[in-house]
C-alpha cells in the first residue's frame, strides 16, 4: 500500500469511528481491521485527537493561537525587529523591553567604548512616521537634547534605520508610572503634590526652551526606586505628527493626531494650535488623577464624536466629588478626610488648569506650580471658581490703546501697523541689524494686509479679524528668525487687542515672550526686545481683567527695564505707568497716582515735552485724581493731556478722542453739562474720523452722551441717542453681549421717565432676560439689570414684583461683590423701603 | 493602495486561474506588499485594545487590492493566494526569531510569550508549517484546506468554492486534518484514548 492509499484508508476509517466512544472505537476497529494493528492504532489515536465533533471548522478553536501569532509577526515592525547584538548608531541592542503605542523599546548600551551608558532605544514603527520624519527628527533633536533637568529623561541620541524608520535613544528610566508609584507607597495628598511639583518643574523647564510635551500622562511619568519622578517622551508626539498640507482634517487624521484621547486637551481634539497651555491642561488631568484616584476624562469608546463630547464639552467634576474608599486608602486616609482636603483650593486649582479655553487656564506651568506652593503653605491661592462670563470692561474707564483698528480699511491698518513697527525700531537698539529686523516685520505685516485690499487681491471682503487670523496662521508656518517672529507675533497680538479681542492675542504674545527670553538668554544686549514683549503681554492681561497676572508680568517687565543696559528710562516709565494701571483697576488709587507721577517724569526726561506717552500718563493721572479728589482737581491734567496730544503730528494723535471723552466725564462730574456735551460731540467726531463710524470707541461716547443727556433731564434726547447706539452695539458686539443689556436698562429708564411705562416695562424685561441668559449668577452687571427693573417696579407701585426683583438682584450682588459695597447696600436700602412701604 | 491597482490584480487573478505561473508570482509579491502595508496602517491607528488577526489582515488586503465587483471565484482565488502569503510571512518571521534566540543574549519578554509552554510562539509556527507541508505532500487538498482556513480565514463554503468541492467534504477534511496536525504537534498522547492496548 502506498502512502496515499494508506492515507485514504486511514481517512475512511477515521470518519467511521470518530463519533463513537473510545471503547466503541476499539471494538469496531478490531472487528473491521483485524489484520493491521498499526493501522488500528493510527486511526485510534487520530480519532482521539479529533475532539467531539462540535469543534467544527467554523468553531472558534480554529482561531486559537493564530491571531496571537500573527500579531507577533506584524506587531510593531516585528518583521524587521532588531536583535540583541544589532548595532544602531553608536548603540548596541541588549534586549527588547517592551512594546508601546509608538513602537518597540529596546535596552541598549553605548558601544563605542568611550563610556558606559544605557539607554531606552525606541524604534518608531513604520506606520507612525511620515516620509520625511527622519529629517525633521534631526532638526528637532537639538532642541530636545538640550533639555537637561533632573526630572526629564534626557534624549541622548537619535537617527534613522536603513529602512527609514526613526529611532531615539533616551535615558533609561527604571520606574513605575506616577499614579501607580504613589498608590504603592500610599502617599498622602501632600506627598503627591510634592512629586507633582517636580513634574511641573520639568515641564516648565522645557517650556522655557520652547518645547511642548503634548502627551503628558501618568504612563509618561516614571518614578524611580529612589522616588524621583522622570518625565518621558518630551515633544516626541510632535515629531510623529504627520504634516498636513492645509486640508481640513478628516476623521481618521484626528485619531492619529491624538496620541491618547483620555489625556488629550480640547484644542488637540479639535486639531487646533497646541501650545504650552496644552501641557497645563494635561498636567491638570494628571493632578486630578493622582489626587482623586480616577481619571478626569473617561473616554470609553473611541469615536470622534464621543471624544469630542467628553473632552471639549463636558465640564469635569471636582476632584473632591470623585473620592472613593479605594482612593482614600491608597492615600492613607478616609474618604471623608480626603474629600475635605481636596475641597476648595485644590479643587479650584485643578479646575483652573482644566478650563476648556486655553486662555482661561493658568498662563504657565509656573503659575500652576506657584498656586500649589501657596496651597501648601496655607496661603490664599489665585484659583477661583469659574464665575464671571464677562470681564469688568464696563466698570473700568476707557484707557489709551496704542492701536485701534476696528472697522478700518486695510490702508489705515497698514498705517497703524507701520506706526507700531516704527516704535519698535525706535525703542530698541539702533544697531543696523535690529532696524533690518523691524523692516522684516513691517514688510511681513504689509504683505498680510495687502491681501485684504480689494484692489490688490479681489475676493470677498475680509474683516479686520479675518486679516489678523490669517496673519496669525501665516506666522505659524513662517520660517523666520526667532526675533523676527517675536516682532510679528507682537504686532498681530497688539492688533487683536486693538480690535477688542484679546483672547486670540494671548498665545501669540506668550510665544513672543518665550522667543524673546531665548533671544535674551543668548544675547543679553537684546533684553529690550523682551521688555517690549512682556509689556505687550501684560497689557493684554490687563485688558482681559486678569489683574494679578498683569501685575506679575508688568512687575517683571519693570525689573527688566531697570536692568537694561544702556539704561532706558522710557521703558522704565512705561512699566511704571502700566503697573499703575493695574493698581488703578485693583482700586489702589493712591499707589497708582504715585506711579503715574513717576512715569510722567520718566517720559518727559526721555522723550521731551511732547510725546504720546506723556499725554497717556497725564490722562491716567487725571483719572486717579478724579476718583480720589473729584471736583475740578483733575481738570488741568485732562486739559494738558489734550494739549500735548494736539501738539503731535496728526498721525500720532491716536487717543485724542479718549482724552476729550475723559475731560467730558470730568466736567459732567462738575455739573458743567453743556461744556461736557460739546466735548463729547467733538470726541465722537474725532473717533469717527479716525476709526470709522462703527468703531466701538464712538459707541462708548454715545453711551456717555446718553447718560449726560438724561442727567440734564432731557429724556427724549437721551432716548434718541440710545436708540442710535443700541443697534450699533448689537451689530458690533453681538445681540447677546452684556453691554446690550446695560443699554437696554438705560433706555428703559429714559422711556419710563417720559411716561411710557408699558414700553419701559417690556424693555426692562428684555434687559433682565438677556442678563440672566448671558451673565453669571454672581456678576454685578446682572445685578444691575435686575436692580434697574426693581427700581422701576417700585416707582410704578408694583410692590410685590419689585420685592421679588430686588431680592434676586441682592442675591446676585452679594455673590459678586464684597459685603458693604455701595451697590449692595443700595439694593438693601431699596428693599427695606419696599418692605416698609407696605405699611404696618 | 489606490483603486487603479485593482484591474491589474483582477487580471492577474484571471491569468492565474487560466494557469499562468508568472501571474501567481506577481500576485504573491503584490499581496505580500499589501499585507505589510495594511498591517502597518492598522498599527498606526491602533487603539489600546486592538488586536491584530491574520485573517482580518487578509480580508482588509483584499478590499484594498481588488475590485469588489470581480467574479466570486476570483475573490476566492485571491484568498487562496493571500493565505499562502500570510503563511510565508509568519514562517519567515518565526525563523528569524528562532535565529535570534540562538544568536546574542536571551530575548527579553514580549507580549505573547504565554502562548506556548516552552515560551516561544516562533517554534509553534515553524512546527505547524513543517507539519502542514508534510500533510500537503500526502494529501494536497487537505493541506490547501487548512491553509485557507487557518491563514486565510475563509469559511467552509468559500473553501469549497476555491477548491471545487462540496461543503461537507471541506468539513470532513478539516476535521481530520486538524486531528492529524494536533497529533503531530503534541507529544503524541491523545486526550481521550482508552487505557490499554489497542
Amino acid at each position: 500500500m502506498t502512502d496515499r492509499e494508506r492515507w485514504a484508508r486511514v481517512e475512511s476509517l477515521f470518519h467511521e469511528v470518530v463519533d463513537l466512544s473510545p471503547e466503541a472505537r476499539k471494538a469496531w476497529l478490531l472487528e473491521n481491521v483485524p489484520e493491521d494493528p498499526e493501522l488500528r492504532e493510527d486511526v485510534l489515536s487520530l480519532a482521539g485527537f479529533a475532539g467531539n465533533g462540535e469543534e467544527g471548522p467554523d468553531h472558534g478553536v480554529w482561531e486559537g493561537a493564530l491571531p496571537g501569532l500573527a500579531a507577533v509577526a506584524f506587531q510593531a515592525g516585528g518583521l524587521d525587529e532588531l536583535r540583541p547584538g544589532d548595532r544602531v548608531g553608536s548603540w548596541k541592542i541588549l534586549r527588547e523591553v517592551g512594546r508601546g503605542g509608538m513602537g518597540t523599546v529596546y535596552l541598549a548600551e553605548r558601544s563605542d567604548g568611550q563610556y558606559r551608558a544605557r539607554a531606552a532605544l525606541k524604534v518608531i514603527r513604520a506606520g507612525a512616521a511620515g516620509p520625511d520624519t527622519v529629517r525633521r527628527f534631526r532638526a528637532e533633536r537639538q532642541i530636545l537634547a538640550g533639555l537637561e533637568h533632573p526630572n526629564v529623561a534626557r534624549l541622548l541620541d537619535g537617527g534613522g534605520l536603513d529602512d527609514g524608520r526613526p529611532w531615539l535613544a533616551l535615558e533609561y528610566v527604571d520606574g513605575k508610572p506616577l499614579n501607580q508609584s504613589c498608590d504603592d507607597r500610599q502617599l498622602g495628598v501632600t506627598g503627591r503634590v510634592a512629586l507633582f511639583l517636580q513634574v511641573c518643574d520639568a515641564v516648565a523647564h522645557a517650556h522655557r526652551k520652547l518645547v511642548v510635551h503634548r502627551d503628558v500622562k501618568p504612563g509618561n511619568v516614571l518614578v524611580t526606586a529612589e522616588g524621583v519622578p522622570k518625565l518621558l517622551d518630551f515633544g516626541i508626539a510632535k515629531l510623529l505628527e504627520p504634516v498636513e498640507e492645509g486640508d481640513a482634517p478628516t476623521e481618521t487624521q484626528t485619531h492619529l493626531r491624538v496620541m491618547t484621547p483620555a489625556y488629550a486637551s480640547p484644542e488637540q481634539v479639535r486639531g487646533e494650535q497646541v501650545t504650552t497651555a496644552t501641557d497645563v491642561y494635561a498636567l491638570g488631568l494628571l493632578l486630578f488623577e493622582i489626587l482623586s484616584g480616577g481619571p478626569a476624562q473617561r473616554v470609553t469608546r473611541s469615536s470622534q464624536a464621543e471624544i469630542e463630547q467628553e473632552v471639549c464639552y463636558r465640564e469635569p467634576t471636582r476632584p473632591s466629588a470623585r473620592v472613593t474608599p479605594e482612593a482614600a486608602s491608597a492615600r492613607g486616609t478616609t474618604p471623608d478626610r480626603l474629600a475635605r482636603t481636596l475641597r476648595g483650593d485644590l479643587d479650584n486649582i485643578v479646575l483652573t488648569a482644566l478650563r476648556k479655553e486655553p486662555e482661561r487656564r493658568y498662563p504657565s506651568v509656573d503659575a500652576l506650580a506657584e498656586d500649589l506652593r501657596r496651597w501648601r503653605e496655607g496661603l490664599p491661592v489665585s484659583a477661583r471658581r469659574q464665575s464671571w462670563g464677562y470681564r469688568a470692561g464696563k466698570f473700568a474707564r476707557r484707557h489709551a490703546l496704542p492701536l485701534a483698528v476696528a472697522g478700518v480699511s486695510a490702508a489705515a491698518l497698514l498705517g497703524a501697523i507701520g506706526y507700531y513697527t516704527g516704535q519698535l525700531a525706535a525703542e530698541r537698539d539702533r544697531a543696523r541689524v535690529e532696524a533690518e529686523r523691524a523692516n522684516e516685520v513691517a514688510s511681513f505685516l504689509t504683505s498680510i494686509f495687502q491681501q485684504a485690499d480689494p484692489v490688490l487681491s479681489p475676493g470677498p471682503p475680509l474683516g479686520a479679524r479675518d486679516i489678523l487670523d490669517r496673519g496669525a496662521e501665516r506666522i505659524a508656518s513662517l520660517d523666520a528668525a526667532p526675533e523676527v517672529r517675536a516682532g510679528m507675533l507682537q504686532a498681530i497680538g497688539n492688533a487683536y487687542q486693538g480690535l477688542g479681542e484679546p483672547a486670540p492675542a494671548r498665545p501669540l504674545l506668550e510665544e513672543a515672550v518665550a522667543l524673546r527670553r531665548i533671544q535674551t538668554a543668548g544675547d543679553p544686549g537684546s533684553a529690550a526686545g523682551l521688555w517690549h514683549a512682556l509689556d505687550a503681554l501684560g497689557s493684554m492681561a490687563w485688558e482681559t481683567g486678569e489683574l494679578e497676572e498683569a501685575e506679575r508680568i508688568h512687575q517683571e517687565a519693570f525689573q527688566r527695564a531697570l536692568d537694561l543696559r544702556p539704561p532706558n528710562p522710557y521703558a522704565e516709565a512705561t512699566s511704571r505707568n502700566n503697573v499703575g494701571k493695574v493698581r488703578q483697576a485693583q482700586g489702589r488709587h493712591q499707589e497708582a497716582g504715585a506711579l503715574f507721577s513717576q512715569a510722567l517724569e520718566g517720559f518727559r526726561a526721555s522723550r521731551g515735552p511732547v510725546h504720546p506717552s506723556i499725554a497717556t500718563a497725564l490722562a491716567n493721572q487725571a483719572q486717579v485724581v478724579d476718583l480720589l479728589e473729584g471736583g475740578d482737581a483733575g481738570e488741568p491734567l485732562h486739559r494738558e493731556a489734550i494739549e500735548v496730544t494736539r501738539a503731535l503730528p496728526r498721525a500720532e494723535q491716536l487717543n485724542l478722542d479718549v482724552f476729550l471723552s475723559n475731560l467730558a466725564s470730568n466736567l459732567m462730574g462738575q455739573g458743567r453739562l453743556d461744556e461736557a456735551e460739546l466735548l463729547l460731540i467733538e470726541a465722537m467726531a474725532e473717533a469717527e474720523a479716525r476709526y470709522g463710524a462703527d468703531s466701538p470707541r464712538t459707541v462708548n461716547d454715545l453711551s456717555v452722551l446718553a447718560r449726560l443727556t438724561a442727567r440734564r433731564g432731557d429724556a427724549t434726547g437721551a432716548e434718541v441717542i440710545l436708540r442710535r447706539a443700541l443697534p450699533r452695539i448689537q451689530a458690533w458686539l453681538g445681540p447677546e453681549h452684556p453691554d446690550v443689556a446695560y443699554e437696554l436698562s438705560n433706555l428703559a429708564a429714559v422711556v419710563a421717565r417720559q411716561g411710557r411705562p408699558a414700553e419701559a416695562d417690556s424693555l426692562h424685561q428684555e434687559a433682565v432676560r438677556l442678563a440672566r441668559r448671558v451673565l453669571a449668577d454672581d456678576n454685578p452687571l446682572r445685578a444691575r439689570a435686575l436692580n434697574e427693573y426693581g427700581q422701576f417696579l417700585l416707582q410704578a407701585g408694583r410692590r410685590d414684583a419689585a420685592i421679588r426683583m430686588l431680592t434676586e438682584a441682592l442675591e446676585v450682588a452679594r455673590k459678586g461683590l464684597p459685603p458693604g459695597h455701595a451697590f449692595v447696600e443700595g439694593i438693601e436700602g431699596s428693599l427695606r423701603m419696599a418692605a416698609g412701604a407696605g405699611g404696618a | 493602495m489606490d483603486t487603479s491597482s485593482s484591474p491589474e490584480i483582477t487580471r492577474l487573478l484571471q491569468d492565474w486561474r487560466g494557469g499562468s505561473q508568472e501571474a501567481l508570482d506577481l500576485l504573491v509579491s503584490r499581496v505580500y506588499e499589501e499585507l505589510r502595508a495594511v498591517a502597518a496602517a492598522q498599527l498606526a491607528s491602533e487603539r489600546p485594545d486592538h488586536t491584530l488577526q491574520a485573517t482580518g489582515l487578509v480580508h482588509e488586503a483584499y478590499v484594498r487590492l481588488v475590485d469588489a465587483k470581480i467574479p466570486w471565484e476570483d475573490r476566492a482565488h485571491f484568498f487562496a493566494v493571500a493565505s499562502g502569503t500570510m503563511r510565508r510571512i509568519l514562517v519567515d518571521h518565526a525563523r528569524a526569531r528562532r535565529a535570534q534566540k540562538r544568536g546574542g543574549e536571551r530575548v527579553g519578554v514580549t507580549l505573547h510569550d504565554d502562548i506556548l509552554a516552552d515560551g516561544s510562539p516562533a517554534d509553534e509556527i515553524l512546527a505547524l508549517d513543517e507539519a502542514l507541508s508534510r500533510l500537503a505532500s500526502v494529501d494536497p487538498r487537505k493541506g490547501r484546506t487548512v491553509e485557507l482556513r487557518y491563514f486565510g480565514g475563509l469559511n467552509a463554503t468559500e473553501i469549497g468554492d476555491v477548491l471545487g468541492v462540496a461543503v461537507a467534504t471541506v468539513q470532513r477534511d478539516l476535521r481530520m486534518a486538524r486531528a492529524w496536525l494536533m497529533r503531530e504537534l503534541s507529544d503524541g498522547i491523545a486526550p481521550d484514548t482508552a487505557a490499554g492496548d489497542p
Side-chain angles (χ1 to χ4, degrees), chain A residues 2 91 166 189 200 205 223 237 248 381 506 647 658 794:
Chain A
T2 65
W91 301 90
V189 170
C200 286
H205 168 83
V223 182
V381 303
R506 179 180 281 282
V658 172
L794 197 56

Side-chain angles (χ1 to χ4, degrees), chain B residues 13-150:
Chain B
L13 279 171
Q14 283 166 350
D15 288 349
W16 173 46
R17 282 188 71 214
S20 162
Q21 193 59 32
E22 193 189 326
L24 178 61
D25 289 343
L26 283 168
L27 260 180
V28 169
S29 67
R30 287 297 303 280
V31 170
Y32 186 85
E33 284 313 307
E34 192 53 34
L35 284 171
R36 289 197 53 172
V38 167
Q42 285 212 348
L43 284 167
S45 62
E46 185 174 359
R47 295 182 274 286
D49 56 348
H50 187 99
T51 47
L52 269 177
Q53 296 205 7
T55 51
L57 289 174
V58 170
H59 275 273
E60 173 120 9
Y62 169 77
V63 167
R64 285 157 62 122
L65 272 180
V66 180
D67 182 359
K69 294 191 209 59
I70 62 170
W72 206 86
E73 303 87 84
D74 281 326
R75 179 174 171 277
H77 275 93
F78 170 88
F79 280 109
V81 173
S83 329
T85 309
M86 175 64 68
R87 177 179 165 190
R88 265 220 343 237
I89 293 172
L90 289 175
V91 166
D92 287 346
H93 164 76
R95 283 212 181 95
R97 289 199 63 138
R98 197 164 65 171
Q100 203 178 26
K101 238 175 126 176
R102 297 202 189 110
E105 298 181 16
R106 195 184 156 283
V107 175
V109 175
T110 64
L111 291 178
H112 299 273
D113 274 7
D114 56 351
I115 289 177
L116 287 182
D118 75 340
S120 170
D123 287 341
E124 188 184 72
I125 297 177
L126 290 171
L128 174 63
D129 177 62
E130 196 207 8
L132 196 51
S133 300
R134 272 187 287 125
L135 175 63
S137 68
V138 211
D139 188 338
R141 194 182 71 204
K142 284 191 182 51
R144 286 211 300 280
T145 303
V146 168
E147 200 176 74
L148 286 168
R149 176 75 196 113
Y150 218 164

Side-chain angles (χ1 to χ4, degrees), chain A residues 55 57 95 225 232 243 256 283-284 413 419 424 522 553 575 619 811:
Chain A
E55 298 145 4
R95 63 167 199 271
L232 314 176
V243 179
L256 291 175
L283 283 169
L413 206 58
Y419 170 73
L424 262 184
I553 297 173
S575 286
E811 218 181 282

